[in-house]
Amino acid sequence: MRRVIVFVAAVLILAAGPVRAAEKPVTIAYAQWSSSIASANLMKALIQEKLGIPCTLVAAGAGEMWRMVAAGEADAMLSAWLPHTHSAYRARYAGMLDDLGPNLEGTRTGLVVPRVTAGRFTAGTGLRNRPYVTTASIPALRKDAPRYRHRIIGIEPDAGVMEKAERALDVYGLRDSFRLESGSEVAMMAELSHAVRHQEWVVFTGWLPHWAFARWNLEFLEDPEGVFSESGSIHTMTRKGLAEENQAVFRLLDAFYWSPEDMGQLMLWIQDDKGLFPYEKALRWIRTHPEKVTRWLAEQP
């Protein structure tokens, strides 16, 4: 009878998937941005479902996310926007964490407005109506300040894009015309949605990749002084010593690389469910992209 019990237990363990008892549980720091939520939950699902290692996600602000990994309080983060947006954080924590390089390329940040047409998409002549927001550049915001109610809608005050937006107010002489309002990404998107529905003027701190660009016609304002810079990438950062202490996780983090379109799909799935159950959406993404998952796991022993 004892042999039967042992045999059944062994079968159950094997059926449950890979288990790496020697590996320590993993902690990933992330920010409350749609891109960071998507990448963190995907990595958690990969670590738990494919490597059999427990993984915990810890939400933090941008600066705190960097600090946690540098201090060894978190094992990794997948949301380091470089070389521009998080340049101050990289300088502050230089040598205290390991940069595994980009996990996504083609990012952009800046001030964004909707390019939604006023009224119906086309006029009676068959010609397209013009967008109701006509501002084309950041310096042109000054003359339209009353239409925007003198507000630029932002996110957490320690986010890199907010630091750039503050600098833009000074570089373009907008400090006396606009106030930069901090909040959360959720609140910012609620403001945008309301403005589009009621055809109100709105300008906000935006970034790519983001699901909002798939939902509405949005456009970055021209930035002639290059305050925000044009393009960048999102890097994976790990704490010192992870490569030696948790090799399987380190290899997976090092191999992880996806496209803005990949991330955009997962972000939209999460958003379409009102941000609920992002882990389940990550599992769905894994099921529908087996070739990429296989590639990321190829380095495992």
Side-chain angles (χ1 to χ4, degrees), residues 233-252:
S233 54
I234 304 176
H235 287 224
T236 299
M237 298 287 180
T238 63
R239 65 171 175 83
K240 291 292 185 180
L242 181 65
E244 295 75 30
E245 298 170 25
N246 219 325
Q247 294 182 15
V249 169
F250 183 85
R251 289 193 186 101
L252 176 58

Side-chain angles (χ1 to χ4, degrees), residues 220-295:
F220 286 95
L221 294 178
E222 294 176 13
D223 178 15
E225 298 297 327
V227 173
F228 290 93
S229 302
E230 280 297 310
S231 184
S233 54
I234 304 176
H235 287 224
T236 299
M237 298 287 180
T238 63
R239 65 171 175 83
K240 291 292 185 180
L242 181 65
E244 295 75 30
E245 298 170 25
N246 219 325
Q247 294 182 15
V249 169
F250 183 85
R251 289 193 186 101
L252 176 58
L253 288 165
D254 196 25
F256 178 63
Y257 181 89
W258 58 346
S259 69
E261 293 74 23
D262 292 330
M263 178 186 274
Q265 183 179 58
L266 180 51
M267 285 192 294
L268 265 178
W269 286 347
I270 295 171
Q271 175 59 29
D272 285 345
D273 204 10
K274 299 180 180 180
L276 301 173
F277 314 113
Y279 186 83
E280 283 68 18
K281 305 306 181 296
L283 294 177
R284 176 185 174 188
W285 196 95
I286 288 172
R287 290 194 300 270
T288 55
H289 296 79
E291 71 293 338
K292 283 188 169 62
V293 173
T294 299
R295 192 182 313 134

Side-chain angles (χ1 to χ4, degrees), residues 90-277:
R90 180 164 66 173
R92 183 182 308 171
Y93 297 110
M96 299 175 66
L97 33 66
D98 290 326
D99 183 354
L100 303 190
N103 62 60
L104 182 148
E105 294 180 281
T107 63
R108 186 178 178 184
T109 63
L111 298 184
V112 178
V113 297
R115 290 296 185 217
V116 180
T117 57
R120 299 178 61 180
F121 186 65
T122 56
T125 60
L127 299 175
R128 290 186 178 184
N129 284 330
R130 293 184 62 193
Y132 70 88
V133 175
T134 57
T135 311
S137 67
I138 298 177
L141 283 170
R142 175 186 288 276
K143 66 180 179 61
D144 294 324
R147 290 178 176 268
Y148 294 106
R149 292 184 291 167
H150 304 277
R151 303 161 68 223
I152 296 174
I153 311 302
I155 54 172
E156 296 87 357
D158 68 338
V161 69
M162 292 290 281
E163 178 189 343
K164 300 293 185 182
E166 289 282 4
R167 182 165 175 262
L169 291 179
D170 295 326
V171 170
Y172 293 107
L174 299 174
R175 185 69 68 179
D176 60 342
S177 303
F178 282 88
R179 64 184 182 275
L180 178 61
E181 297 187 351
S182 61
S184 67
E185 181 191 349
V186 172
M188 184 176 72
M189 288 296 99
E191 290 256 14
L192 172 61
S193 179
H194 179 274
V196 170
R197 285 200 311 272
H198 296 85
Q199 296 192 351
E200 298 173 353
W201 288 50
V202 64
V203 56
F204 64 97
T205 56
W207 59 90
L208 277 172
H210 194 284
W211 59 265
F213 285 84
R215 179 146 298 170
W216 297 290
N217 187 17
L218 306 175
E219 187 174 291
F220 286 95
L221 294 178
E222 294 176 13
D223 178 15
E225 298 297 327
V227 173
F228 290 93
S229 302
E230 280 297 310
S231 184
S233 54
I234 304 176
H235 287 224
T236 299
M237 298 287 180
T238 63
R239 65 171 175 83
K240 291 292 185 180
L242 181 65
E244 295 75 30
E245 298 170 25
N246 219 325
Q247 294 182 15
V249 169
F250 183 85
R251 289 193 186 101
L252 176 58
L253 288 165
D254 196 25
F256 178 63
Y257 181 89
W258 58 346
S259 69
E261 293 74 23
D262 292 330
M263 178 186 274
Q265 183 179 58
L266 180 51
M267 285 192 294
L268 265 178
W269 286 347
I270 295 171
Q271 175 59 29
D272 285 345
D273 204 10
K274 299 180 180 180
L276 301 173
F277 314 113

Side-chain angles (χ1 to χ4, degrees), residues 24-89:
K24 297 179 181 179
V26 179
T27 299
I28 294 177
Y30 76 102
Q32 293 282 16
W33 317 321
S34 55
S35 58
S36 191
I37 291 169
S39 58
N41 276 275
L42 179 58
M43 184 53 63
K44 177 181 178 178
L46 289 166
I47 291 171
Q48 294 196 153
E49 306 297 329
K50 298 302 182 179
L51 300 184
I53 299 172
C55 180
T56 300
L57 302 184
V58 179
E64 180 66 3
M65 181 174 61
W66 277 81
R67 188 202 65 77
M68 288 179 67
V69 178
E73 296 173 15
D75 295 293
M77 64 174 180
L78 297 102
S79 303
W81 286 61
L82 297 170
H84 310 292
T85 308
H86 286 175
S87 58
Y89 295 130

